[in-house]
Amino acid sequence: MNDEVAVGQQLEREREVLARVPRGLLIGGQWRPATGGRTFPVHDPATEEVIAEVADGHEDDALAALDASVGAQAGWAETAPRRRGEVLRRAYELMTERVDDLALLMTMEMGKPLAESKAEVAYAADFFRWFGEEAVRISGDYKVSTSGANRVLVMRQPVGPSLLITPWNFPAAMVARKVGPAVAAGCTMVLKPPQLTPLSSLAMAGILEEAGLPPGALNVVTTSRASAVSGPLLADSRLRKVSFTGSTEVGSMLMAGAAAHVLRVSLELGGNAPFLVFADADLDAAVEGALTAKMRNTGEACTAANRFYVHASLAQEFSERLARAMAAMKLGRGTEPGVRVGPLVDEAQRAKVTSLVEDAVERGARVLCGARAPRSRGWFYEPTVLAAVPEGAQLAGEEIFGPVAPVFSFEDDEEAVRLANGTRYGLVAYAYTRDLGRALRVCEALEVGMVGLNRGLVSDPAAPFGGAKASGIGREGGSVGIDEYLEVKYVSIDKTW
Ligand code: NAD
């Protein structure tokens, strides 16, 4: 097949995949345009071209979605747990069957390489499978009171209508990690997808409908003005919960808004992950783990290693090996064969990464590779390793959200832990050491919700994902993930029988 034919076939396939995605708002089981018919554009970050126009919902649409959610709540809560679990199981199967199309869609709207998009679709689907299994295991308790005179009955019931707000960097997984437990628990939902990458959410909503989710259980309102959806819903006392994944700034604003009606909140917020390499580390494993922790999602992950702290005896070798590996990664549109680094999501993100690197270099950091925006079209930035980064550099204090690895060095364990904890964030940390005692001491001392010990990846549907400090409240996934959507009710029973 010549190149022209291959390109033509690829374009045709992209058009077909895009054509199958619903573009409207999903409210009460109906797909419909936004009130007033407004739309907003979605771009391919590798070409900067508009690939779709999506309904631009506003206040009235948000309230209509809440009406539908409230209307469906009682019926959905009474639906048999087995049935709720089967909806999720079917959604898992449909996503698995359609992994290629969903991955292509994700690469087109977000930019990550196809292999990573496939991995994310599989990861997202796995949350549906996991919570499909959890739906039938919601337990209660029955015990004798301390006096022996009464009985204590504890039940766990759905919290109620929930607002779910998701970010652009994991367009499918962040949806599944919220929708999965909400469906399993018997909560109805209003989902507000990210403006930059709404297509994966819309495709998944279609799949959940097809899997048998009843009308009104999941409502989806896409918008270019997020506060037009969150504002009226937080002000409405019928809403009972908000679950948000995104930046700490927006999360804390939503938390303040949720205070008016004392909503349950789950917040998965920003990170500033330290990656610690101790003197006794297996260096091959550390470099490989660093590549995963840094380059997954082109560095646009809340779990991305943001600061590499390496024992002074290994810092130079580690930096050079990491730079060789990162410089060898092929950059390009995620649909092209062999590409391992996609574009950043938009111009603003690339400008931020550029300015953080410039600041570090001005302060004396040494560029071992990258530090350039190579293409004229597409929001690309080259994989970058910076050595001898001074502690005051801006990128030590904030999320880089790009393919940039700054390497700092330390002298002893105490200093390593102090540097690692010297941030307002506390999502995840990575530590490489072969000494069990040191590993346990360090894991206990790190002020984070998760630690990757000799591993550069912590995400797992079976594990409780979440952060400490300004990285959030609550956990998603694992056996505690469903608790975020359940209210505990206790009945005190007088024993007069
Ligand atoms: P963001 O905070 O800008 O946006 C997240 C979502 O909130 C989007 O849907 C956006 O439209 C919406 N939003 C923005 N302003 C809002 C408002 N005033 N009211 C209601 N909704 C509003 O974050 P982002 O740029 O989309 O995502 C990147 C951030 O997400 C990073 O900080 C990253 O660390 C974080 N993140 C955290 C996790 C986690 O699990 N801890 C996972 C992925 C991403």
Side-chain angles (χ1 to χ4, degrees):
M1 195 187 327
N2 68 33
D3 284 358
E4 226 168 276
V5 175
V7 169
Q9 284 180 350
Q10 174 68 18
L11 284 176
E12 187 51 35
R13 196 163 123 59
E14 290 177 11
R15 268 195 294 272
E16 275 171 25
V17 166
L18 283 169
R20 282 199 286 272
V21 181
R23 307 292 169 87
L25 311 176
L26 176 61
I27 298 178
Q30 301 291 320
W31 288 96
R32 61 192 218 197
T35 309
R38 278 197 311 243
T39 61
F40 66 88
V42 180
H43 295 86
D44 178 336
T47 62
E48 303 180 23
E49 280 164 15
V50 173
I51 53 169
E53 288 283 338
V54 166
D56 195 358
H58 64 94
E59 289 83 348
D60 294 348
D61 301 311
L63 285 171
L66 182 61
D67 289 345
S69 178
V70 170
Q73 180 57 58
W76 183 233
E78 280 167 19
T79 301
R82 175 65 74 203
R83 171 93 195 90
R84 299 201 300 264
E86 279 168 354
V87 168
L88 290 173
R89 172 76 200 187
R90 184 70 192 124
Y92 156 75
E93 288 164 357
L94 289 170
M95 283 186 75
T96 305
E97 278 165 26
R98 296 175 197 169
V99 59
D100 289 335
D101 286 2
L102 291 167
L104 179 57
L105 185 67
M106 189 184 294
T107 292
M108 279 192 278
E109 68 172 341
M110 192 272 169
K112 69 181 77 179
L114 262 185
E116 287 200 47
S117 294
K118 278 190 199 176
E120 183 185 336
V121 173
Y123 176 52
D126 229 13
F127 279 107
F128 286 159
R129 175 161 61 167
W130 174 267
F131 284 108
E133 291 156 352
E134 292 294 280
V136 291
R137 317 227 185 283
I138 299 168
S139 60
D141 202 4
Y142 179 82
K143 50 185 171 194
V144 180
S145 68
T146 50
S147 68
N150 308 311
R151 297 294 177 261
V152 173
L153 172 66
V154 179
M155 53 183 86
R156 290 153 85 222
Q157 298 174 303
V159 166
S162 302
L163 171 61
L164 314 178
I165 303 178
T166 55
W168 52 263
N169 61 342
F170 290 100
M174 299 302 99
V175 171
R177 220 162 66 175
K178 296 185 189 308
V179 170
V183 167
C187 292
T188 60
M189 300 148 275
V190 177
L191 171 67
K192 205 298 286 168
Q195 181 187 344
L196 293 175
T197 61
L199 302 175
S200 297
S201 300
L202 293 168
M204 286 167 75
I207 282 176
L208 282 154
E209 269 192 307
E210 208 180 319
L213 197 65
L218 173 67
N219 305 280
V220 183
V221 185
T222 46
T223 183
S224 65
R225 292 176 308 127
S227 53
V229 172
S230 62
L233 297 193
L234 294 177
D236 191 315
S237 62
R238 296 173 301 164
L239 187 75
R240 292 313 318 143
K241 176 180 175 75
V242 58
S243 174
F244 171 80
T245 297
S247 61
T248 296
E249 290 63 36
V250 174
S252 76
M253 245 167 52
L254 290 171
M255 191 173 172
H261 292 295
V262 196
L263 300 186
R264 284 279 293 275
V265 289
S266 304
L267 302 172
E268 296 289 347
L269 308 178
N272 180 6
F275 189 104
L276 307 174
V277 183
F278 291 93
D280 65 348
D282 173 340
L283 203 56
D284 290 339
V287 172
E288 200 186 315
L291 271 184
T292 306
K294 180 71 258 179
M295 294 306 292
R296 178 168 171 248
N297 229 32
T298 316
E300 294 175 311
C302 54
T303 50
N306 213 55
R307 301 167 290 149
F308 290 82
Y309 294 115
V310 184
H311 189 266
S313 62
L314 295 177
Q316 187 176 346
E317 190 182 350
F318 175 86
S319 311
E320 284 168 3
R321 286 175 62 173
L322 184 61
R324 273 201 298 279
M326 279 176 55
M329 294 176 89
K330 184 175 168 193
L331 197 81
R333 188 170 189 243
T335 50
E336 293 162 15
V339 163
R340 290 177 64 199
V341 187
L344 296 176
V345 77
D346 64 7
E347 182 56 52
Q349 193 56 40
R350 184 170 64 178
K352 180 186 167 199
V353 171
T354 306
S355 109
L356 287 173
V357 170
E358 283 171 359
D359 168 76
V361 172
E362 271 164 31
R363 290 171 195 259
R366 231 166 2 98
V367 177
L368 297 192
C369 67
R372 286 189 316 137
R375 293 195 178 193
S376 52
R377 222 161 66 104
W379 296 303
F380 291 92
Y381 196 84
E382 279 185 3
T384 300
V385 177
L386 301 175
V389 182
E391 248 189 80
Q394 275 175 31
L395 46 58
E398 43 183 297
E399 275 188 304
I400 302 169
F401 245 55
V404 178
V407 183
F408 309 78
S409 66
F410 67 84
E411 297 290 342
D412 58 42
D413 292 12
E414 209 177 301
E415 185 189 9
V417 169
R418 179 181 58 76
L419 290 168
N421 287 340
T423 168
R424 70 182 180 130
Y425 297 105
L427 188 62
V428 61
Y430 304 90
Y432 278 74
T433 172
R434 286 184 276 203
D435 177 327
L436 180 61
R438 169 181 274 150
L440 292 175
R441 273 195 310 279
V442 168
C443 286
E444 287 192 7
L446 288 168
E447 297 165 352
V448 292
M450 302 175 285
V451 182
L453 183 57
N454 298 318
R455 290 207 65 206
L457 181 71
V458 293
S459 305
D460 187 326
F465 188 105
K469 294 159 76 176
S471 290
I473 295 176
R475 295 294 180 266
E476 291 188 328
S479 45
V480 297
I482 197 168
D483 292 342
E484 303 281 322
Y485 296 87
L486 292 168
E487 191 75 79
V488 173
K489 183 186 283 175
Y490 141 62
V491 182
S492 178
I493 306 170
D494 181 36
K495 188 180 176 253
T496 50
W497 66 85

